[in-house]
């Protein structure tokens, strides 16, 4: 522990450390705090080892550098200012904030200097990979509409940590919570889109084999080609054709990994009349030809040459 000019630095291995004022703990009042640090549970790939209910009073700040765990922080009352990887977020009553492993997180008191929170800290060797798989890595905030269900999940996990009866059940319940958050994130994104754009995206996903032009998709969605292009630029930062082609290339990649269809058959399923043109498009998006991708997929545990997905911003 290093104390310099009333600033305390604590290190927890590797490049991970925290900084806070020397009087930081005087601003904290813990109503509940449960932890389970046994060696066996920590061997699990997803382990919720600490739960707390805390009131934070007065003016204070705290920094977590290269934080090694995932922290879910549900605001029950008050507000706090968070900054993660340079992105500032004001967290108010009912909001859930995600502090991601490996990131630098700064927390500041604000407003009337009061915050009442539930916090769940999750570790495990596969947490970063799981967050990527669930597409939660760039998600920092869930709004108050979800607070009741999130609170129920966290309280159930807290009971399991307090009783220490089933490490596997605690791990499983935590995965359920993260999977539920991932599903709600998708629903939240789609609810923020104009109905015409949502309809166009649905048509694209359902009509991969039809070879529809963008003009036809716009007509089926009930809008003009120009309006559809403007909406895609505004919300997706790409053209409709780029989005549609990316969907097809993702689907092609999955079919190639199945190893059941020839490249010609896959091209036909995706509405490409010319297999050579399909191969050139696939190589432009993935960096490998379809045959090269299939060969690489057989020899690698992870997906070769992942295609960058085009997503709607939160």
């Amino acid at each position: 522990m290093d104390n310099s000019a009333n600033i305390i630095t604590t290190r927890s291995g590797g490049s991970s450390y925290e900084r806070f004022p020397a009087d930081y703990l005087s601003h904290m009042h813990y109503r509940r705090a449960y932890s389970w640090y046994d060696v066996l549970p920590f061997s699990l790939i997803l382990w919720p080892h600490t739960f707390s209910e805390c009131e934070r009073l007065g003016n204070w700040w705290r920094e977590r550098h290269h934080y090694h765990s995932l922290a879910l922080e549900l605001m029950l009352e008050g507000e706090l200012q968070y900054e993660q990887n340079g992105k500032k977020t004001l967290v108010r009553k009912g909001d859930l904030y995600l502090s991601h492993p490996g990131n630098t997180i700064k927390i500041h008191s604000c407003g009337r200097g009061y915050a009442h929170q539930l916090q769940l800290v999750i570790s495990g060797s596969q947490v970063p990979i799981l967050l990527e798989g669930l597409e939660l890595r760039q998600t920092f905030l869930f709004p108050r509409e979800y607070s009741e269900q999130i609170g129920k999940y966290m309280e159930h996990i807290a009971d399991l940590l307090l009783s220490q009866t089933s490490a596997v059940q605690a791990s499983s319940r935590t995965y359920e919570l993260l999977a539920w958050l991932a599903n709600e994130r998708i629903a939240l994104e789609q609810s923020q889109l104009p109905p015409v754009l949502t309809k166009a995206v649905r048509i694209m996903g359902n009509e991969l084999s039809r070879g529809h032009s963008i003009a036809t998709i716009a007509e089926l969605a009930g809008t003009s080609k120009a309006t559809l292009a403007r909406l895609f630029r505004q919300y997706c930062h790409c053209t409709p054709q780029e989005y549609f082609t990316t969907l097809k290339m993702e689907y092609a990649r999955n079919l190639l990994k199945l190893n059941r269809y020839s490249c010609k058959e896959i091209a036909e399923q995706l509405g490409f009349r010319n297999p050579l043109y399909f191969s050139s498009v696939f190589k432009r998006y993935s960096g490998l030809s379809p045959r090269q991708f299939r060969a690489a997929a057989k020899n690698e545990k992870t997906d070769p040459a992942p295609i960058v997905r085009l997503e709607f911003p939160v």
Side-chain angles (χ1 to χ4, degrees):
M1 181 178 295
D2 168 42
N3 190 334
S4 176
N6 295 321
I7 303 299
I8 294 177
T9 301
T10 62
R11 299 188 178 275
S12 53
S15 60
S16 178
Y17 66 95
E18 296 190 55
R19 296 177 70 247
F20 46 84
D23 66 347
Y24 170 76
L25 290 178
S26 68
H27 297 278
M28 306 296 114
H29 170 65
Y30 286 92
R31 294 189 178 187
R32 293 179 289 167
Y34 312 140
S35 59
W36 192 356
Y37 285 105
D38 288 358
V39 175
L40 177 60
F42 253 88
S43 67
L44 296 171
I45 62 174
L46 184 68
W47 179 237
H49 56 81
T50 304
F51 169 87
S52 64
E53 179 182 357
C54 180
E55 290 180 293
R56 304 171 185 260
L57 311 170
N59 296 317
W60 56 273
W61 58 268
R62 183 169 188 158
E63 297 177 358
R64 305 168 182 155
H65 292 261
H66 308 294
Y67 197 53
H68 52 72
S69 299
L70 169 67
L72 307 184
E73 302 178 67
L74 179 63
M75 188 70 68
L76 302 180
E77 294 287 345
E79 59 186 20
L80 290 175
Q81 178 78 52
Y82 283 77
E83 182 178 344
Q84 185 166 188
N85 288 358
K87 182 178 181 180
K88 293 183 179 180
T89 305
L90 182 62
V91 181
R92 297 186 174 94
K93 178 180 178 180
D95 293 343
L96 175 75
Y97 192 80
L98 279 67
S99 296
H100 288 278
N103 288 356
T104 292
I105 299 102
K106 300 178 181 179
I107 312 171
H108 300 266
S109 59
C110 59
R112 57 192 178 96
Y114 177 77
H116 180 195
Q117 288 181 295
L118 299 182
Q119 184 187 68
L120 182 66
V121 182
I122 303 164
S123 295
S125 60
Q126 298 299 307
V127 169
I129 296 173
L130 180 61
L131 291 172
E132 290 286 355
L134 293 174
E135 298 183 1
L136 287 172
R137 198 67 179 89
Q138 300 303 319
T139 302
F140 298 155
L141 184 73
F142 280 86
R144 65 193 65 187
E145 294 92 311
Y146 303 93
S147 60
E148 182 177 355
Q149 186 62 35
I150 292 170
K152 289 179 180 178
Y153 270 111
M154 294 178 75
E155 290 290 354
H156 188 191
I157 295 168
D159 290 342
L160 292 169
L161 293 184
L162 178 62
S163 63
Q164 298 191 7
T165 53
S166 175
V168 173
Q169 189 176 357
S171 179
S172 175
R173 192 63 172 169
T174 302
Y175 177 80
E176 288 180 23
L177 169 57
L178 294 179
W180 181 82
L181 289 174
N183 288 332
E184 293 305 316
R185 180 194 66 82
I186 295 172
L188 177 63
E189 289 178 3
Q190 293 180 346
S191 70
Q192 296 173 340
L193 299 177
V196 166
L197 184 56
T198 301
K199 187 174 182 180
V201 168
R202 188 178 298 116
I203 291 169
M204 289 179 177
N206 293 336
E207 304 287 348
L208 291 176
S209 64
R210 296 291 295 274
H212 283 325
S213 67
I214 298 303
T216 300
I217 292 171
E219 183 179 354
L220 292 172
T223 189
S224 68
K225 183 179 177 181
T227 298
L228 188 63
R230 177 179 58 79
L231 291 174
F232 265 93
R233 284 195 303 271
Q234 180 179 349
Y235 289 92
C236 308
H237 310 295
C238 66
T239 67
Q241 188 61 60
E242 287 171 340
Y243 188 90
F244 197 22
T245 303
T246 299
L247 287 181
K248 291 185 176 185
M249 294 304 101
E250 286 280 0
Y251 191 65
R253 189 171 67 159
N254 291 331
L255 291 178
L256 287 166
K257 286 190 291 184
L258 287 175
N259 203 27
R260 295 176 184 172
Y261 305 98
S262 68
C263 292
K264 181 180 179 181
E265 289 172 328
I266 293 173
E268 290 174 351
Q269 288 189 47
L270 294 175
F272 288 88
R273 297 177 182 177
N274 186 336
L276 293 178
Y277 179 62
F278 161 71
S279 295
S280 67
V281 173
F282 187 89
K283 186 171 184 178
R284 186 168 72 248
Y285 272 75
S286 70
L288 299 173
S289 71
R291 286 186 174 83
Q292 289 171 331
F293 180 91
R294 174 171 279 166
K298 289 181 181 179
N299 298 325
E300 297 185 16
K301 294 181 179 179
T302 57
D303 286 349
I307 295 172
V308 176
R309 296 182 180 180
L310 300 172
E311 297 182 350
F312 297 118
V314 176

